[in-house]
Amino acid sequence: MKKCKRIFVIVIDSLGIGEMPDAERFGDAGTNTLGHISESVDSFEIPNLQKLGMANLTPLKQVKPLKEPIGYRGILREKSNGKDTMTGHWEMMGVETKKPFKTFTEHGFPKELIDELEKRTGHKVIGNKSASGTEIIEELGEEEIATGHMIVYTSADSVLQICGNEETFDLKELYRCCEIARELTMKEEWRVGRVIARPYIGKKKGEFERTSNRHDYALKPPVRTALNVLKDGGFDVISVGKIRDIFDGEGITEGHKSRSSVHGMEQTIELAETDFHGLCFVNLVDFDAKWGHRRNPKGYAKELEAFDQKLGTLMEILREDDLLIITADHGNDPTYTGTDHTREKVPFLAYSKSMEENGVLPEQETFAVIGATVLDNFGLSMPEGTIGTSLLADLK
């Protein structure tokens, strides 16, 4: 295949396709996000993903594998020690995380951290548990407004999140408190991947609504990634969704926040109609946040069907010198126990109108083949301290 001018890497957040060999160590034996979604619904129509060979990677009840899917298809294993958003995305761009980020899903944050946060911010902490962001605002928003207390919560990801009502807590004060939390959670035993400001508006239950003034305070990747090499090489590195936040802006030349996964695909389609030279890196978070964590396979299936329709539009407008890669960052089996991510393999679907052949790729031992393939396309090499080898020579 000839070198491409533009590459689109789309991450369907949490779309695992079967347990990793070490899944039992993570408590995730028998998980299969996509396969179990298919088993949970009567109807499941994903014709464009089917064309790309998704049903050839894991059995689906309603979707038949094709004899000759277009493009190339394969399965990626995660080499890093973890199953969270940052670990997965960082690995795609070459970072192997050997020491997992801290999560506090089961019991909330330790008393020592909360005490220090209260002392430094001047606000009493309420909440301190794993919860849905919208639900905890409904539960505690009125108390926060009345008392000036501060809602702190976490999730299955390595995050510390703070809610603040823009009209009473004040946005600047919320950001100040998050900056303090970020400083505190640099300590090794409290080290979370992200601190997130979650502002909202409204005066009482039923009226609360989160605003677009969310701000993420992420850790920077420990080494230069494929994104840094692309940017330094003069190429465009366009972020859609939370990619910029995941990499703390490192290696990003242009960022677009998304209101939803459908909106993220609409943004990607709009970008495909512009003339850029480099990478468009897309994260579609609703699959994980709205359906995986909330254990809703039917909602997940409908979201995949909506994605598939937008995918068809994108594929139509792709140019001859474009390459499309579809993958995921971890699993989140909506039929499994609890609300945590699941340790799963992920799909690798690659398609270009310029491809003359199609086929199956050998199973890869790391997500980092993605970043290495992107850099190889643009005549660049992975930076020192990273992992991953290119698959570009196999895409013909």
Side-chain angles (χ1 to χ4, degrees):
M1 190 183 75
K2 66 180 182 181
K3 297 291 182 73
C4 293
K5 182 180 179 182
R6 308 186 303 178
I7 298 180
F8 297 82
V9 174
I10 299 177
V11 181
I12 306 177
D13 201 307
S14 82
L15 190 68
I17 55 171
E19 64 178 1
M20 283 271 293
D22 62 355
E24 189 171 354
R25 180 167 66 89
F26 290 80
D28 296 330
T31 54
N32 186 328
T33 298
L34 181 57
H36 290 157
I37 288 168
S38 174
E39 291 175 5
S40 301
V41 295
D42 296 327
S43 174
F44 191 38
E45 298 182 7
I46 49 171
N48 294 299
L49 285 170
Q50 183 185 30
K51 287 177 191 175
L52 292 168
M54 185 69 86
N56 296 68
L57 300 179
T58 190
L60 302 178
K61 183 175 74 173
Q62 311 86 341
V63 187
K64 294 180 179 179
L66 299 183
K67 186 176 181 180
E68 291 286 338
I70 61 175
Y72 287 82
R73 62 197 181 277
I75 294 172
L76 309 182
R77 298 183 186 182
E78 185 166 16
K79 190 171 185 181
S80 295
N81 184 18
K83 54 177 181 177
D84 61 272
T85 298
M86 284 181 64
T87 298
H89 284 79
W90 283 10
E91 182 168 320
M92 290 177 206
M93 295 298 126
V95 178
E96 180 185 359
T97 301
K98 296 182 179 180
K99 196 168 186 179
F101 296 112
K102 299 290 184 182
T103 57
F104 299 90
T105 310
E106 298 300 321
H107 305 292
F109 299 102
K111 183 178 185 299
E112 294 80 8
L113 171 56
I114 295 300
D115 287 347
E116 189 65 21
L117 186 60
E118 290 181 336
K119 178 182 175 182
R120 293 277 302 276
T121 63
H123 295 277
K124 177 179 171 59
V125 167
I126 54 177
N128 189 25
K129 61 183 178 180
S130 178
S132 156
T134 53
E135 290 173 2
I136 202 164
I137 293 170
E138 284 295 298
E139 177 188 349
L140 299 174
E142 289 182 356
E143 180 180 349
E144 180 182 75
I145 291 169
T147 62
H149 297 340
M150 182 169 68
I151 301 171
V152 175
Y153 69 107
T154 188
S155 73
D157 258 331
S158 178
V159 293
L160 184 153
Q161 304 182 84
I162 303 179
C163 300
N165 189 292
E166 291 193 9
E167 298 161 322
T168 58
F169 197 92
D170 185 61
L171 196 57
K172 288 183 179 179
E173 177 64 5
L174 175 61
Y175 292 164
R176 183 188 74 86
C177 293
C178 286
E179 288 167 2
I180 292 170
R182 177 70 280 176
E183 181 185 340
L184 293 174
T185 54
M186 295 302 290
K187 193 174 181 180
E188 189 59 36
E189 59 263 40
W190 301 336
R191 182 173 173 260
V192 295
R194 285 175 293 160
V195 172
I196 306 176
R198 291 285 198 173
Y200 66 99
I201 55 174
K203 292 180 171 57
K204 61 182 180 179
K205 289 182 181 179
E207 295 180 356
F208 295 133
E209 182 179 344
R210 293 200 292 195
T211 76
S212 61
N213 291 319
R214 162 181 170 163
H215 188 74
D216 290 49
Y217 301 80
L219 293 175
K220 290 187 182 297
V223 296
R224 294 176 72 249
T225 74
L227 301 182
N228 296 106
V229 175
L230 273 175
K231 181 179 179 181
D232 293 347
F235 294 96
D236 297 309
V237 185
I238 303 172
S239 156
V240 176
K242 62 179 185 178
I243 296 294
R244 179 191 281 276
D245 292 335
I246 291 167
F247 290 87
D248 197 31
E250 288 291 306
I252 305 296
T253 63
E254 179 183 332
H256 301 267
K257 289 188 175 182
S258 304
R259 297 187 300 272
S260 66
S261 289
V262 169
H263 181 228
M265 282 302 293
E266 291 171 346
Q267 291 172 303
T268 305
I269 290 165
E270 289 175 4
L271 287 164
E273 293 174 328
T274 67
D275 189 28
F276 68 89
H277 190 189
L279 172 66
C280 179
F281 196 4
V282 182
N283 173 274
L284 305 175
V285 71
D286 285 355
F287 299 97
D288 185 52
K290 291 181 70 173
W291 313 118
H293 287 306
R294 298 180 188 181
R295 295 300 188 249
N296 186 337
K298 291 181 173 60
Y300 207 131
K302 288 182 179 178
E303 191 80 49
L304 281 168
E305 290 179 332
F307 165 77
D308 194 85
Q309 291 180 357
K310 296 296 183 184
L311 175 61
T313 302
L314 176 63
M315 290 172 67
E316 285 179 8
I317 64 172
L318 288 177
R319 302 170 185 174
E320 288 290 325
D321 56 353
D322 288 340
L323 173 62
L324 170 66
I325 295 173
I326 297 175
T327 190
D329 53 344
H330 50 72
N332 199 347
D333 191 332
T335 69
Y336 206 56
T337 56
T339 61
D340 199 358
H341 294 149
T342 45
R343 175 81 167 174
E344 296 184 51
K345 302 174 185 180
V346 303
F348 178 87
L349 304 175
Y351 169 72
S352 174
K353 290 181 177 178
S354 65
M355 286 176 174
E356 297 179 354
E357 300 181 22
N358 59 69
V360 185
L361 301 170
E363 189 165 313
Q364 303 294 315
E365 66 175 16
T366 173
F367 299 173
V369 296
I370 294 173
T373 299
V374 171
L375 289 189
D376 189 12
N377 176 81
F378 295 110
L380 300 169
S381 300
M382 292 294 283
E384 185 177 350
T386 58
I387 59 173
T389 56
S390 173
L391 298 176
L392 194 66
D394 297 315
L395 308 180
K396 302 172 183 177

